[in-house]
Amino acid sequence: HRWFSAAVIVTIALGIGLNTMVFTLVNAVLFKPVAVQGGERLVAILNEKHTGRNSETGVSYPDFRDYRTQAASLESLEATTGEEAVLSEQGNPPQAFNMERVTSGLFHMLHTSPALGRSFTASDDRPGAEPVILLGYGIWKDRYAKDPNIAGHVVRLNGKPATIIGVMPEGFKFPSNQDLWTPLVSTADLEKRSERSLSLYGMLKPGVRMSQATAELHAIAERLARQYPDTNKGVDVLVLTFHERFNGGPIRAVFLLMLAAVGFVLLIACANVANMMLSRAMTRRGEISIRAAMGASPWHIVRQLLIESVLLSTIGGVLGLALAALGIHSFDLVTQDVGKPYWIVFRMDYTVFAYFAALCTGSGLLFGLLPALRP
């Protein structure tokens, strides 16, 4: 029954292929940890103002210092703030890049070292320190043609001299598609508690849960509100996973709805295939009767029919896996041009393959069970 089998395989391939593709996207966007050592423990910390309507806001530099010194649940805590910066020097035209000002311990917290040169030190983010820059790999490649002697080169950053001290590894753009980094130096404006412009990133201590860190930081925020009522009253702390920081809210809802939608498509496909199997079962009554007459028990017959269904589902799943791989590659190419965060990699891993195997087995049992049990 080649055409019957082909129809079943194609129907299941579409359902499993869509589900595998969307699950791969969801896994990469919402669940896969950032590709740094201890990435599953990386959290983002913001403030939340309770003034009529709750609203997320950044953290002030003094509050950051208080959180850092008082939070025992965090292995480390660092601060960043982003802006657009213009890089210029003699022989190269001015060019705008996404720049992140960061505290000196950020790269140590992320266990990431420059591919060339040195990282920031504690002396680099002190007031009065000589301005220094860490370049992203893309700038080093495109603007400086991978010059191995780039460290020590003096350029102008927003019109002021700064020294390039190193180049970060290829693909590193923390926290979200940054091109270069410079130390976050405290200024008179940053020292105001009312100036909430920083994003904080911390590493939970091993064994510490998000709920524990949230409770501790919430208690610190309450103490600060009592100590500085003019600036901190009604200001709470918000602890998020790194994924929630950039892919929470509407984005998370959209991807989960996509997963639910393709799951419903697979259920419809299984229902259609089950109907096809029922109609075919009518033509197999003679065969089943002969098997029973030869001594096959009802369990043996049910087992054989389920094995056939799972086999068809697996063949369809393999075809669907190829369709999923093609869809993932196409989606990846499209999102490269719309600012996809650098740490999101659409790749099939063990989690995806386990999901795929469960789909193949579950689908085969689902559409094969009713025809197998039909008297």
Side-chain angles (χ1 to χ4, degrees), residues 215-229:
E216 183 186 42
L217 288 165
H218 178 73
I220 296 172
E222 287 184 337
R223 288 199 296 270
L224 293 177
R226 291 193 297 269
Q227 192 172 356
Y228 307 102

Side-chain angles (χ1 to χ4, degrees), residues 4 13 23-24 69 111 129 153 168 171 174 236 261 272 297 305 335 358:
F4 174 84
F23 181 79
T24 302
T69 56
H111 302 280
H153 187 61
M168 295 306 292
F174 189 91
D236 202 354
N272 289 335
S297 67
L305 296 177
T335 54

Side-chain angles (χ1 to χ4, degrees), residues 78 100 102-125 129-136 151-152 163-169 172 174 180-184:
E78 304 297 333
E100 197 79 6
V102 304
T103 48
S104 59
L106 179 74
F107 303 119
H108 177 72
M109 180 185 75
L110 298 174
H111 302 280
T112 304
S113 301
L116 180 70
R118 69 171 179 88
S119 187
F120 296 142
T121 63
S123 61
D124 290 324
D125 57 10
E130 291 294 325
V132 292
I133 307 172
L134 274 170
L135 296 179
T163 302
I164 297 172
I165 62 170
V167 178
M168 295 306 292
F172 182 86
F174 189 91
L180 56 90
W181 299 263
T182 191
L184 175 61

Side-chain angles (χ1 to χ4, degrees), residues 86-103:
V86 176
L87 196 63
S88 62
E89 73 246 88
Q90 189 173 1
N92 272 329
Q95 195 171 358
F97 294 102
N98 292 325
M99 183 180 75
E100 197 79 6
R101 297 187 183 274
V102 304
T103 48

Side-chain angles (χ1 to χ4, degrees), residues 7 63 73 77 109 126 145 178 226 345:
D63 285 356
S73 58
L77 182 64
M109 180 185 75
R126 290 175 181 167
Q178 308 312 116
R226 291 193 297 269
V345 180

Side-chain angles (χ1 to χ4, degrees), residues 48-55 218 233-237:
E48 188 175 30
K49 288 187 175 180
H50 299 306
T51 52
R53 187 175 64 178
N54 294 353
S55 59
H218 178 73
K233 185 178 180 180
V235 176
D236 202 354
V237 71

Side-chain angles (χ1 to χ4, degrees), residues 210-249:
M210 281 278 293
S211 57
Q212 293 174 275
T214 301
E216 183 186 42
L217 288 165
H218 178 73
I220 296 172
E222 287 184 337
R223 288 199 296 270
L224 293 177
R226 291 193 297 269
Q227 192 172 356
Y228 307 102
D230 291 341
T231 56
N232 287 58
K233 185 178 180 180
V235 176
D236 202 354
V237 71
L238 191 61
V239 184
L240 307 167
T241 65
F242 192 77
H243 283 292
E244 288 173 336
R245 170 69 176 88
F246 291 97
N247 296 322

Side-chain angles (χ1 to χ4, degrees), residues 133-257:
I133 307 172
L134 274 170
L135 296 179
Y137 190 91
I139 299 179
W140 181 52
K141 174 186 173 184
D142 299 334
R143 188 176 176 90
Y144 298 106
K146 294 186 177 181
D147 181 2
N149 301 312
I150 193 66
H153 187 61
V154 178
V155 297
R156 299 189 73 81
L157 185 66
N158 291 335
K160 298 179 181 179
T163 302
I164 297 172
I165 62 170
V167 178
M168 295 306 292
E170 184 175 7
F172 182 86
K173 297 183 179 182
F174 189 91
S176 178
N177 296 339
Q178 308 312 116
D179 301 309
L180 56 90
W181 299 263
T182 191
L184 175 61
V185 179
S186 179
T187 63
D189 285 338
L190 280 179
E191 287 296 335
K192 298 175 182 177
R193 287 192 184 267
S194 57
E195 180 62 32
R196 302 185 179 278
S197 57
L198 304 182
S199 295
L200 307 188
Y201 299 97
M203 192 71 72
L204 298 176
K205 287 182 177 178
V208 173
R209 298 189 299 272
M210 281 278 293
S211 57
Q212 293 174 275
T214 301
E216 183 186 42
L217 288 165
H218 178 73
I220 296 172
E222 287 184 337
R223 288 199 296 270
L224 293 177
R226 291 193 297 269
Q227 192 172 356
Y228 307 102
D230 291 341
T231 56
N232 287 58
K233 185 178 180 180
V235 176
D236 202 354
V237 71
L238 191 61
V239 184
L240 307 167
T241 65
F242 192 77
H243 283 292
E244 288 173 336
R245 170 69 176 88
F246 291 97
N247 296 322
I251 295 177
R252 183 181 182 86
V254 166
F255 275 90
L256 291 179
L257 282 173

